[in-house]
Amino acid sequence: MTTALKETVGRYGIWSVGLRSEDPDRRGELAEAAAELEELGYGAVWLGGNTSAAHAAPLIEATSRLTVGTSIQSIWQHEADAAAAAFAELESTHPGRFVLGLGVSHARLAEQYRRPYSALVSYLDGLDAAGMPADRRVLAALGPKSLKLTRDRSAGAIPYLVTPEHTAHAREALGEGPLLAPELAVVPETDPARARALAREFLETYLPLPNYTNNFLRHGFTEDDLVDGGSDRLVDALFAWGDDTAIRAKIDAFFEAGADHVALQVVNEEPRDALPRKAWRDLAALLG
């Protein structure tokens, strides 16, 4: 089934916070955007933030083939049995279209954050007990222990804010079978100063979070790379920016490192919850 999941999501997906809106007035807009993404050839949409099957359902209903995944559903805010039940309900009406992406979130975002690895193991036990199939869930794994758990207890990994070097490490840890689907932020800007400024503005949310910074330090960066919004070296490793050739080369670097699928997140001047549909079209044309 892991092979089937790789085929279902294809090589390219879109990672978006905007597509998870709970505003009923935006339902038509979201449905139209999801349908266009499917038409453009993207195999999957990954819903950013603490999302659930309820956020995925309207997009699945608006499309015929698109896979929709959570990226991520926090284990602290959704009980395992409830998550399994929501999966089962959506699976009964739209089989094979939803992937449950799980993660431990961050201490700053979850008051109950304690022993995250043990909590994740217990959560997976709860999903198993409730009948949630392991081959339809993926984990937001970064470190060695969580990658090993991903290999043993899920269909694959959806690492966020990572480099091709991390992808190579993750591929080695996972082996060839599990899905490896890193997120990659794309800044459609050719001016270096402007591109890096947009990237640093984006990074403001993440540099205070140890789960990410510890991962950077594990993969060759230093404390100096983490100050003042992130060094040029860090920014250039984490983001695809520049002309079409440069952006395509960055995306290809993740595949060369072992990714099966890359979830592309557009970072531009628009608000994080916007739907950058022109940029999605431009990316689709670039990807061919």
Side-chain angles (χ1 to χ4, degrees):
M1 282 297 292
T2 299
T3 300
L5 180 58
K6 290 180 182 182
E7 293 173 353
T8 299
V9 301
R11 286 174 65 81
Y12 306 108
I14 289 296
W15 196 104
S16 170
V17 172
L19 285 168
R20 69 173 293 272
S21 176
E22 298 175 10
D23 183 352
D25 292 337
R26 295 191 66 198
R27 186 168 182 135
E29 178 189 15
L30 301 187
E32 183 182 291
E36 183 181 19
L37 289 173
E38 180 175 75
E39 185 178 340
L40 288 170
Y42 295 105
V45 163
W46 302 94
L47 301 179
N50 176 26
T51 46
S52 67
H55 296 103
L59 305 185
I60 291 173
E61 292 165 1
T63 54
S64 60
R65 303 179 308 278
L66 195 70
T67 298
V68 182
T70 52
S71 181
I72 60 171
Q73 181 171 295
S74 170
I75 66 169
W76 310 107
Q77 297 185 33
H78 299 268
E79 295 293 335
D81 56 353
F87 168 84
E89 181 178 356
L90 193 49
E91 182 70 6
S92 70
T93 54
H94 300 281
R97 303 281 307 284
F98 175 63
V99 179
L100 181 61
L102 299 167
V104 299
S105 188
H106 304 273
R108 291 190 178 203
L109 304 179
E111 290 183 7
Q112 61 272 60
Y113 192 94
R114 302 286 189 281
R115 301 180 65 204
Y117 178 82
S118 296
L120 181 56
V121 171
S122 296
Y123 197 92
L124 295 176
D125 292 342
L127 290 177
D128 289 346
M132 165 78 198
D135 60 6
R136 298 292 301 285
R137 65 196 187 212
V138 291
L139 304 184
L142 293 176
K145 287 178 65 178
S146 59
L147 285 167
K148 181 178 178 181
L149 183 66
T150 296
R151 180 195 67 198
D152 296 340
R153 303 285 304 273
S154 79
I158 50 170
Y160 186 85
L161 204 64
V162 293
T163 63
E165 290 73 21
H166 179 274
T167 297
H169 170 81
R171 180 83 279 166
E172 182 178 358
L174 292 173
E176 289 303 311
L179 173 73
L180 179 53
E183 173 270 348
L184 171 62
V186 177
V187 185
E189 174 61 63
T190 57
D191 177 74
R194 181 61 183 153
R196 289 177 177 140
L198 286 168
R200 288 188 174 99
E201 182 179 346
F202 176 87
L203 276 178
E204 286 179 0
T205 300
Y206 302 104
L207 287 180
L209 302 176
N211 290 6
Y212 293 121
T213 55
N214 289 340
N215 193 52
F216 301 151
L217 297 174
R218 277 194 298 266
H219 290 277
F221 296 99
T222 69
E223 295 287 353
D224 290 341
D225 289 305
L226 308 180
V227 299
D228 298 327
S231 67
D232 285 356
R233 184 168 80 110
L234 180 66
V235 167
D236 293 350
L238 292 173
F239 294 82
W241 64 267
D243 60 17
D244 285 355
T245 300
I247 290 174
R248 181 59 192 258
K250 187 71 170 185
I251 296 169
D252 288 346
F254 279 83
F255 288 110
E256 291 163 6
D260 301 299
H261 171 95
V262 178
L264 301 166
Q265 177 178 192
V266 171
V267 174
N268 57 19
E269 298 88 352
E270 297 180 79
R272 286 287 304 276
D273 62 352
L275 302 177
R277 294 177 64 175
K278 180 182 184 303
W280 291 341
R281 296 181 197 119
D282 292 344
L283 271 176
L286 170 64
L287 298 171

